[in-house]
Amino acid sequence: TTLLKGLCAEKKCEEAVEVIHMMAEDGDNCPPDAVSYTTVIHGFCKEGGVGKAHTLFREMLDHGIPPDVVTYSSIIDGLCKVQAMDKAEEVLRQMIDEHIMPNCATYNSILHGYLSLGQWKEAVRILKEMSGDGQRPDVVTYNMLIDCFCKSGLRAEAREIFNSMIQSGEKPNVATYRSLLHGYATEGNLVEMNNVKDLMVQNGMQLDLHVFNIQLYAYCKCGRLDDAILTFNKMQQQGLVPDIVTYNTVIDGLCKIG
């Protein structure tokens, strides 16, 4: 397994497959197992060779070597990254049929695949299936959905997911709040944007440069230059150094009012 990991790390997955075949030919001395195959499958997926990973996965099954949750999750993740969602779901069903329960990472891969295609309804279906299988969504799950909804203009749906997150006991992180803030800023909804910012502070989150830039964008978008300047000054008082985005946002806002 160490040799296989080394070859895959050096992007020599084809050579790793040859080693697996040599192991199989060697008979009882050192036959390849699920870990051996999974190592190379994961290597192919990282290289973008999902077709080769799937072929090796089929070979593994043909040799009667049962895949484990890591094997299934690796091949599902690879398929989702090339947006082969039908195949990914086929492997998921096969996984469940074999009584190997998908973990949170498995479901997150499928969610990410559907969201990258803009198919948020399919993503919500997978979220419900995930919960139905007793698998609790994590912060990555919620963040993907919230970010997608916000970028799709579905702010109410994003807030609903955020509320579900809080109710489940999963703690939002900075990325969670940023997505919501940016969603409300794009909409020009300053009240909700500031409510989320206040909630962020109440929960002990530090306002970083990215958050201040979002606020500046919202104020300039709505023609609230006085609030934008106050935010700009507050940012500097907190020891944050404005970046090119900060200056461009403020300059653009000033130009728009002449």
Side-chain angles (χ1 to χ4, degrees), residues 74-93:
S74 294
I75 195 71
I76 286 169
D77 186 57
L79 290 166
C80 290
K81 281 178 178 170
V82 296
Q83 300 181 336
M85 301 311 298
D86 288 344
K87 278 190 178 179
E89 287 229 38
E90 184 183 313
V91 175
L92 178 69
R93 302 298 158 223

Side-chain angles (χ1 to χ4, degrees), residues 40-42 44-45 49-58 75:
V40 185
I41 286 169
H42 183 66
F44 272 130
C45 288
V50 180
K52 291 175 181 178
H54 197 255
T55 299
L56 194 60
F57 175 70
R58 300 304 312 175
I75 195 71

